[in-house]
């Protein structure tokens, strides 16, 4: 590791995933068109569908979202059919239980086939298999500055890390400069203390002269 910032990046990615930004998307097709012109950027979408009768958030991610945002399967498997779900480990549900979720204004009975751990509390309580219908969408990227993309991003991840190569180099330089400044301050303080100590000892060893009357 070349800097403390890179060490922090590595630790955060292990714990929270690779994502950096969260963008509330109001026009999914326009966003996808803009993103099609970007390069060297990884991004994924999380789709919000509804709330179940207990006001638990329900949605699904695209392929790669769960690894990217570190939504980790701890038991069972991810849903494969329309009547299957996985639930967050914050709740006491068990695999094989059945719950009811309102999808497209219809109450549907769903079977729990897995349990996941969310790396961040902003993620969902219940995940379903990919659906055509969704109410809202969120965009996650590993880079804050997106070349060729007109919309702005809002930083919702305090543990994020920008993968833009220019910013990575900038962060590394800044981190090294900060360390050098800190080291210089410590050395200056040590020199001041040492000089003060030496001057004190020299003054103590000087002969005491009594002025003649």
């Amino acid at each position: 590791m070349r800097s403390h910032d890179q060490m922090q990046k590595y630790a955060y990615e292990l714990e929270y995933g690779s994502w950096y930004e969260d963008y509330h998307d109001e026009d999914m097709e326009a966003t996808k068109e803009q993103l099609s012109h970007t390069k060297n950027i990884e991004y994924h979408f999380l789709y919000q569908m509804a709330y179940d009768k207990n006001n638990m958030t329900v949605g699904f991610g695209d392929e790669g979202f769960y690894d990217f945002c570190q939504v980790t399967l701890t038991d069972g498997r991810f849903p494969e059919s329309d009547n299957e779900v996985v639930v967050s480990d914050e709740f006491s549900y068990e695999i094989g239980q059945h719950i009811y979720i309102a999808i497209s204004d219809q109450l549907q009975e769903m079977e729990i086939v897995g349990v996941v751990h969310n790396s961040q509390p902003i993620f969902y309580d219940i995940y379903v298999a990919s659906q055509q219908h969704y109410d809202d969408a969120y965009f996650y990227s590993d880079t804050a500055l997106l070349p060729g993309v007109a919309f702005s991003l809002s930083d919702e991840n305090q543990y994020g890390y920008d993968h833009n190569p220019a910013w990575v180099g900038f962060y590394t330089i800044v981190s090294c400069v900060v360390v050098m400044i800190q080291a210089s301050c410590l050395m200056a303080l040590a020199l001041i203390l040492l000089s003060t100590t030496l001057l004190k000892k020299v003054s103590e060893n000087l002969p005491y002269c009594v002025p003649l009357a």
Side-chain angles (χ1 to χ4, degrees):
M1 296 296 177
R2 289 179 296 169
S3 70
H4 174 268
D5 193 66
Q6 288 183 333
M7 293 176 61
Q8 189 177 62
K9 166 185 174 292
Y10 179 73
Y12 281 175
E13 286 181 346
L14 286 178
E15 184 69 20
Y16 303 106
S18 299
W19 62 281
Y20 182 80
E21 298 284 345
D22 171 5
Y23 173 73
H24 175 68
D25 199 342
E26 297 178 355
D27 190 343
M28 178 63 64
E29 295 307 317
T31 299
K32 288 183 176 180
E33 171 62 24
Q34 290 177 321
L35 289 171
S36 66
H37 303 296
T38 63
K39 296 179 180 179
N40 301 323
I41 293 174
E42 185 174 0
Y43 56 88
H44 294 282
F45 292 94
L46 176 62
Y47 302 89
Q48 181 175 307
M49 295 184 63
Y51 293 87
D52 79 340
K53 64 178 183 179
N54 296 316
N55 284 328
M56 298 172 69
T57 52
V58 182
F60 61 95
D62 65 7
E63 184 177 0
F65 163 79
Y66 300 100
D67 289 334
F68 190 70
C69 291
Q70 212 73 322
V71 177
T72 310
L73 187 70
T74 59
D75 195 11
R77 59 176 174 83
F78 280 103
E80 298 172 355
S81 62
D82 291 343
N83 66 334
E84 296 178 338
V85 298
V86 296
V87 297
S88 169
D89 57 6
E90 294 182 6
F91 305 97
S92 57
Y93 289 115
E94 296 180 357
I95 292 178
Q97 279 187 263
H98 287 247
I99 58 177
Y100 290 89
I101 301 175
I103 298 179
S104 299
D105 297 326
Q106 294 184 352
L107 198 62
Q108 299 185 25
E109 183 179 1
M110 314 287 272
E111 180 184 358
I112 298 174
V113 296
V115 177
V116 295
H117 174 72
N118 288 318
S119 61
Q120 292 274 319
I122 64 173
F123 294 133
Y124 295 162
D125 303 319
I126 300 173
Y127 297 92
V128 301
S130 295
Q131 306 278 329
Q132 293 295 323
H133 168 77
Y134 59 88
D135 296 330
D136 218 336
Y138 292 84
F139 165 74
Y140 296 89
S141 168
D142 64 355
T143 304
L145 301 178
L146 306 182
V149 178
F151 58 77
S152 61
L153 298 173
S154 59
D155 187 2
E156 297 289 343
N157 178 22
Q158 62 177 317
Y159 304 105
Y161 189 94
D162 195 343
H163 286 226
N164 184 296
W167 280 108
V168 171
F170 174 76
Y171 292 146
T172 301
I173 292 172
V174 169
S175 180
C176 291
V177 169
V178 170
V179 171
M180 290 177 63
I181 291 174
Q182 291 175 338
S184 299
C185 291
L186 289 174
M187 290 178 63
L189 179 61
L191 287 173
I192 291 172
L193 292 175
L194 180 61
S195 299
T196 303
T197 303
L198 289 175
L199 288 173
K200 184 177 180 180
K201 287 186 176 181
V202 169
S203 63
E204 289 176 350
N205 293 328
L206 288 175
Y208 180 70
C209 299
V210 179
L212 295 175

